[in-house]
Amino acid sequence: MDIRKVTSELSLKRKIDNGTGEQREAVISILADVEKRGDQALRAYTKKFDGALLEDFRVSEEEIKRAYEQIEESIVNIITEAAENIRDYHERMKSQSWIVTKPDGTMLGQQVTPLDAVGVYVPGGTAAYPSSVLMNVIPAQVAGVGRIVMTSPPNEKGELPAGVLVAANELGVDEIYKVGGAQAVGALAYGTETIAPVDKIVGPGNIFVALAKREVFGLVDIDAIAGPSEIVILADESAHPDEVAADLLSQAEHDRLASSILVTHSEELAYRVQKEVEQQLKTLPRRDIALASIENYGAIYVTESLEESVTVVNKLAPEHLEVVTKDPYNLLGQIRHAGAIFLGRYSSEPVGDYFAGPNHVLPTNGTAAFSSPLSVESFVKKSSIISYSEKALIENASKIAAFARLEGLEAHARAVESRFKSKGEN
């Protein structure tokens, strides 16, 4: 893990993976096929890509029951407690509709309406992600979404991970389909004989899922095109090197493209953390992945002062930011750009990944400079309410008509003036 001085080129932004031309063409072909052939196409692609031949995509009650038999009760209790923490946090985000009445009788307001239907994509592969189920489903439920559909790629036996099924069942999600990849995105966007279409698709996936979400955006809404995970740790001499190294590696083991960065004005801490990372890598089960991440996207930046460290952090705009200093709360007001901010020694990043309550679906690749975590707001839409009174229109009609004519829109002007022709006004 290299120790570097800060440069003007410092940035977390990496080239977004838009896939190859061949990958994009494959995704477009799959989407078109799903739109045309529906379930028949889903079966073909599930067999081709997942090795499972399925007649019925929907997860049965029997499969849910078997999932509980594979998970220890203590783990089910942990999932339930995590869900309660996440729900409590998101309940505090709910926004209300409002109307204000002005003295002239005009009423203006905003109506907040939950989306009718949302699709949650849960990635498969070699790992299971029940935490992804919790983080995507719960804010949608709190928002009041009427129908929540979950899709996930099956294994060769046509099964989904037990942890994923248990998490979904604990939340009351009863529409779960064993479909993955671009074909799942197509099913959620266009609908098939079995899967009715949704209004928005959320959840992480591989490059084919990301490309498919990008293609269907506009027909449906999507959460974001997420990049590889990243962490930045802002630390001073009070930080414990072994803990800082462990937290850096907690992100590095995610993905070979993940980024783990320490920013500090303490040279001693920098060198000690560097040695700790090397030592801890030796016994890490996912060593090869973490090592590739650290070598290609890991770094330790040594600054001249704590103030410069804060400036560097704001420039990086990381997905996860840990502030491990003598007085982390004193720096909170100076942090402008970060997806999630973890304050103090005991706020290790995995606390947020699984249990604390805030959402772990966060802006990546420097986009925390202008975007926010997945939230209840992600699952509602807002309508403006306008009820103009006669008195208000009489007072403002000429102004509105003049504004319309300024833009060359005569019909707009006449539409307002037509209200008063019978009365000989205006």
Side-chain angles (χ1 to χ4, degrees):
M1 196 170 194
D2 294 339
I3 297 177
R4 311 172 188 173
K5 290 290 185 179
V6 175
T7 67
S8 59
E9 291 79 23
L10 178 69
S11 175
L12 251 184
K13 291 187 177 180
R14 291 164 281 173
K15 185 177 180 181
I16 296 175
D17 188 358
N18 291 314
T20 63
E22 186 177 318
Q23 287 172 328
R24 185 168 181 268
E25 287 178 9
V27 166
I28 291 173
S29 175
I30 290 170
L31 292 175
D33 195 22
V34 171
E35 184 178 20
K36 181 180 180 181
R37 296 197 298 142
D39 284 353
Q40 187 179 352
L42 293 185
R43 288 190 183 91
Y45 292 121
T46 303
K47 174 63 176 174
K48 179 178 180 180
F49 298 126
D50 303 308
L53 182 59
L54 300 176
E55 282 301 316
D56 190 357
F57 302 111
R58 190 160 183 167
V59 170
S60 66
E61 290 184 11
E62 180 60 33
E63 288 174 284
I64 298 292
K65 182 180 177 181
R66 287 201 301 269
Y68 275 89
E69 293 170 354
Q70 299 174 50
I71 300 293
E72 294 180 12
E73 184 178 355
S74 61
I75 299 299
V76 176
N77 292 337
I78 290 171
I79 290 173
T80 302
E81 188 176 351
E84 290 172 353
N85 294 341
I86 296 164
R87 191 175 301 278
D88 178 70
Y89 181 86
H90 286 80
E91 285 282 356
R92 301 171 193 275
M93 297 181 182
K94 292 169 71 172
S95 55
Q96 304 295 323
S97 300
W98 58 269
I99 289 180
V100 61
T101 302
K102 294 191 172 185
D104 63 7
T106 294
M107 289 193 302
L108 302 175
Q110 186 176 78
Q111 181 169 284
V112 180
T113 309
L115 301 182
D116 289 340
V118 167
V120 174
Y121 187 93
V122 179
T126 58
Y129 296 98
S131 64
S132 184
V133 178
L134 303 184
M135 294 294 181
N136 284 277
V137 169
I138 290 174
Q141 290 179 328
V142 172
V145 174
R147 173 174 167 254
I148 299 174
V149 187
M150 195 178 94
T151 68
S152 188
N155 60 21
E156 291 184 355
K157 297 179 180 179
E159 301 169 334
L160 296 186
V164 166
L165 292 181
V166 167
N169 190 69
E170 288 296 308
L171 299 181
V173 179
D174 59 4
E175 195 175 345
I176 308 170
Y177 297 100
K178 296 174 283 187
V179 182
Q183 59 272 23
V185 175
L188 292 170
Y190 305 125
T192 70
E193 297 91 329
T194 299
I195 305 174
V198 301
D199 300 307
K200 183 167 186 170
I201 302 171
V202 300
N206 61 20
I207 184 62
F208 294 98
V209 172
L211 291 174
K213 286 169 70 176
R214 182 172 291 162
E215 289 295 328
V216 300
F217 176 63
L219 174 64
V220 296
D221 191 17
I222 62 172
D223 48 357
I225 305 297
S229 189
E230 60 208 30
I231 187 171
V232 170
I233 299 179
L234 168 59
D236 63 14
E237 64 281 358
S238 69
H240 294 243
D242 58 330
E243 297 171 1
V244 172
D247 287 359
L248 291 169
L249 290 171
S250 75
Q251 292 306 294
E253 74 171 353
H254 262 300
D255 191 325
R256 295 175 186 274
L257 300 177
S259 174
S260 301
I261 293 176
L262 169 63
V263 180
T264 182
H265 63 285
S266 169
E267 286 195 24
E268 181 182 355
L269 178 69
Y271 284 106
R272 291 179 67 185
V273 169
Q274 183 186 47
K275 292 184 181 299
E276 275 290 337
V277 168
E278 293 172 358
Q279 192 65 29
Q280 292 183 29
L281 269 170
K282 295 177 181 178
T283 58
L284 202 62
R286 294 169 66 91
R287 179 184 181 278
D288 290 346
I289 293 173
L291 179 60
S293 167
I294 290 295
E295 288 182 342
N296 294 316
Y297 299 104
I300 298 174
Y301 287 104
V302 178
T303 64
E304 296 296 328
S305 65
L306 183 59
E307 290 73 24
E308 186 182 20
S309 292
V310 172
T311 299
V312 168
V313 165
N314 282 324
K315 186 173 183 181
L316 292 173
E319 177 187 16
H320 306 96
L321 170 65
E322 288 187 11
V323 183
V324 191
T325 59
K326 292 177 183 176
D327 188 2
Y329 303 99
N330 190 48
L331 297 178
L332 181 58
Q334 300 174 48
I335 303 299
R336 295 182 49 79
H337 308 306
I341 305 169
F342 300 76
L343 298 173
R345 177 185 178 186
Y346 301 106
S347 304
S348 177
E349 189 277 336
V351 172
D353 269 351
Y354 300 110
F355 207 74
N359 210 289
H360 76 198
V361 182
L362 302 166
T364 59
N365 204 38
T367 60
F370 52 79
S371 55
S372 306
L374 191 74
S375 70
V376 174
E377 290 283 313
S378 306
F379 298 98
V380 301
K381 56 189 180 66
K382 299 174 180 178
S383 303
S384 300
I385 300 171
I386 303 166
S387 177
Y388 233 48
S389 65
E390 181 181 21
K391 179 181 178 182
L393 192 58
I394 289 173
E395 182 179 343
N396 296 303
S398 62
K399 302 171 191 174
I400 297 168
F403 212 139
R405 291 188 173 108
L406 175 65
E407 295 189 347
L409 299 174
E410 180 63 25
H412 279 62
R414 293 180 185 181
V416 173
E417 293 171 344
S418 68
R419 268 65 180 171
F420 305 106
K421 283 187 177 180
S422 61
K423 297 183 180 182
E425 300 177 18
N426 235 34

